[in-house]
Amino acid sequence: MYVDTHCHLDDTRFNVDEEVNSYLRVGVTKVINVGCNALSSKKGQELSKKHQSIYFGAGFHPSDANDYNQTTEDEIIKLLSDDKCVAVGEIGLDYHWEPYDKQVQQKVFLRQLELASEFKLPVSVHSRDATEDMLKLLKDNKSKLAYGGVMHCFSGSTETAKILLDLGFYLGFGGTVTFKNAKKTVEVASLCPNDRILTETDCPYLSPEPYRGQTNSPKNIPIITSFIAKLKNIDNVEFASIVMKNAEKLFKF
Ligand code: NI
């Protein structure tokens, strides 16, 4: 049984019924649709009502941080007490796409860490070109991370990985670990303790090899899982079950 801990099935390019059928067929039994704003978080909730295998995260992506206000926060708060809401996310910092406002992103991120603590939920964190600020914020706000979290699509250094692991984080690995130029990510995945690894697609983005460049889907999770199992020299079925246990422990589903 496989798990996709971070996907965007609410993306308009998906026919969700078809996606669900095709990922169930290859043994992916649980997926988490993370939200990027109030609308996509709400869509995640709707998908989770329709499909048993879909759980959801609610939150504001850093690229949408400018739209975070009392009204949109209230919409997120309404979603956080849903039975199938298993995370606050995706939230974080992204200093890649200009224009961005570091102050606004940090404020919105911190506020959502507070919500995670208040609603006793783990966080699904996005960090791009923001490692220094991210690590500082997480270290300074450790008390708000009592319910844990995952650094999604981790592609940082082994040093950064160690700091995150010390903070209790799980590391999420996706299609990028299979890319030819992913030496650093391969190294981190090899070193990461088995009980801290999660698999994810971030679909529709970041398709694994040999489908790089195409629309990604949770049905590609077995490719990612077996790639990492091979790196770690563990039986594929055994590794898939370890990853599922990790996900069940963090997200309590
Ligand atoms: Ni994402």
Side-chain angles (χ1 to χ4, degrees):
M1 303 299 178
Y2 299 96
V3 59
D4 186 348
T5 59
H6 186 115
C7 65
H8 301 277
L9 285 176
D10 59 285
D11 190 283
T12 50
R13 73 190 85 178
F14 287 120
N15 175 325
V16 180
D17 292 343
E18 275 174 22
E19 286 303 321
V20 171
N21 285 334
S22 55
Y23 70 65
L24 287 175
R25 215 176 296 136
V26 296
V28 178
T29 55
K30 288 177 178 173
V31 311
I32 301 174
N33 196 84
V34 289
C36 294
N37 50 46
L39 184 65
S40 68
S41 299
K42 178 87 187 135
K43 279 189 186 162
Q45 183 193 41
E46 282 161 17
L47 294 177
S48 79
K49 284 193 194 303
K50 199 166 168 216
H51 300 278
Q52 200 199 340
S53 57
I54 300 181
Y55 296 80
F56 73 100
F60 265 72
H61 189 283
S63 301
D64 285 18
N66 286 329
D67 298 327
Y68 195 91
N69 53 44
Q70 195 54 59
T71 311
T72 52
E73 178 178 285
D74 287 346
E75 290 176 53
I76 294 293
I77 286 176
K78 258 186 239 157
L79 300 171
L80 294 179
S81 37
D82 188 292
D83 276 351
K84 288 191 91 177
C85 182
V86 294
V88 174
E90 72 176 283
I91 62 175
L93 302 175
D94 191 319
Y95 301 164
H96 185 75
W97 300 110
E98 309 234 22
Y100 53 80
D101 185 325
K102 290 186 180 182
Q103 251 67 47
V104 171
Q105 285 195 13
Q106 291 181 20
K107 202 176 137 202
V108 170
F109 179 50
L110 273 181
R111 175 64 193 135
Q112 293 181 97
L113 290 183
E114 277 169 21
L115 289 179
S117 167
E118 196 180 315
F119 284 84
K120 301 184 165 43
L121 288 167
V123 285
S124 184
V125 180
H126 168 106
S127 178
R128 190 165 187 196
D129 297 344
T131 306
E132 203 180 313
D133 284 355
M134 176 55 72
L135 293 179
K136 186 177 181 328
L137 280 181
L138 292 177
K139 281 181 190 162
D140 291 350
N141 292 277
K142 225 184 144 187
S143 63
K144 300 189 183 89
L145 296 168
Y147 301 92
V150 54
M151 188 56 71
H152 116 81
C153 197
F154 186 77
S155 58
S157 65
T158 50
E159 291 74 21
T160 303
K162 278 181 192 143
I163 295 168
L164 289 168
L165 290 167
D166 283 345
L167 283 163
F169 265 75
Y170 288 75
L171 302 182
F173 294 97
T176 50
V177 74
T178 69
F179 294 175
K180 304 247 180 311
N181 56 353
K183 236 177 113 184
K184 201 171 60 171
T185 310
V186 162
E187 197 187 327
V188 174
S190 312
L191 291 172
C192 184
N194 292 341
D195 63 357
R196 293 295 192 84
I197 290 191
L198 293 173
T199 50
E200 59 166 69
T201 58
D202 202 19
C203 72
Y205 316 106
L206 304 171
S207 259
E209 295 288 359
Y211 305 115
R212 190 170 179 181
Q214 298 176 28
T215 302
N216 201 0
S217 151
K219 68 171 181 258
N220 290 330
I221 278 289
I223 299 174
I224 296 161
T225 309
S226 63
F227 185 92
I228 304 172
K230 208 176 275 174
L231 279 182
K232 292 185 156 286
N233 209 7
I234 311 177
D235 172 70
N236 187 30
V237 176
E238 190 190 337
F239 184 63
S241 116
I242 293 171
V243 174
M244 181 60 89
K245 274 192 202 115
N246 294 343
E248 289 171 342
K249 189 171 172 198
L250 180 65
F251 299 108
K252 299 185 185 68
F253 55 17

